[in-house]
Amino acid sequence: QVQLVESGGGLVQTGGSLRLSCAASGRAFSDYNMGWFRQAPGKEREFVAAITKTGGVTYYADSVKGRFTIYKDNAKKTVYLQMNSLKPEDTAIYYCAADRAPVVFSTAAQYDYWGQGTQVTVSS
């Protein structure tokens, strides 16, 4: 099992930046693909970004491509989401998730472990 704790959320103006962190504890972090998802009020949880176990390949939702960067530090057992050029529509609770499957998924249901979430609010 792995336990996940997100941090780094907050209030930022349009065009600003935030870096989210997700610290893991438990078994080997390098065994897990990691994903970031978000959920806005009244909406379903949606895929944001994912990264393979080694950190060598990344995937992004079209809505964040070119603005967000996911990266992984296996030695620190932490995955990050650097968010630049933030927009009001990025406002949501952001969750990190972990999965040991041989392939990376963009579907929330495929992930086995979840953090508690961190709120990101972008003001216009």
Side-chain angles (χ1 to χ4, degrees):
Q1 285 204 4
V2 64
Q3 293 78 42
L4 305 172
V5 178
E6 301 97 333
S7 61
L11 174 64
V12 64
Q13 291 185 336
T14 296
S17 297
L18 283 174
R19 189 182 75 163
L20 305 184
S21 300
C22 174
S25 59
R27 49 174 303 149
F29 185 63
S30 58
D31 287 350
Y32 294 89
N33 301 311
M34 300 297 296
W36 284 97
F37 291 78
R38 66 187 182 187
Q39 189 166 16
K43 294 187 177 181
E44 293 187 354
R45 193 168 297 190
E46 65 173 359
F47 171 75
V48 174
I51 190 166
T52 54
K53 298 172 185 178
T54 62
V57 183
T58 57
Y59 304 85
Y60 297 95
D62 288 343
S63 59
V64 307
K65 203 170 292 183
R67 300 188 298 123
F68 290 10
T69 303
I70 185 171
Y71 57 103
K72 192 174 188 248
D73 187 331
N74 283 337
K76 294 184 177 179
K77 296 186 177 181
T78 302
V79 62
Y80 303 93
L81 186 68
Q82 177 67 44
M83 306 187 296
N84 299 329
S85 302
L86 282 161
K87 305 175 182 179
E89 51 263 44
D90 295 319
T91 295
I93 299 174
Y94 283 71
Y95 300 88
C96 72
D99 180 73
R100 294 181 63 197
V103 297
V104 173
F105 297 109
S106 61
T107 305
Q110 300 290 346
Y111 285 79
D112 295 323
Y113 304 101
W114 291 85
Q116 83 289 349
T118 185
Q119 176 71 48
V120 171
T121 303
V122 184
S123 63
S124 57

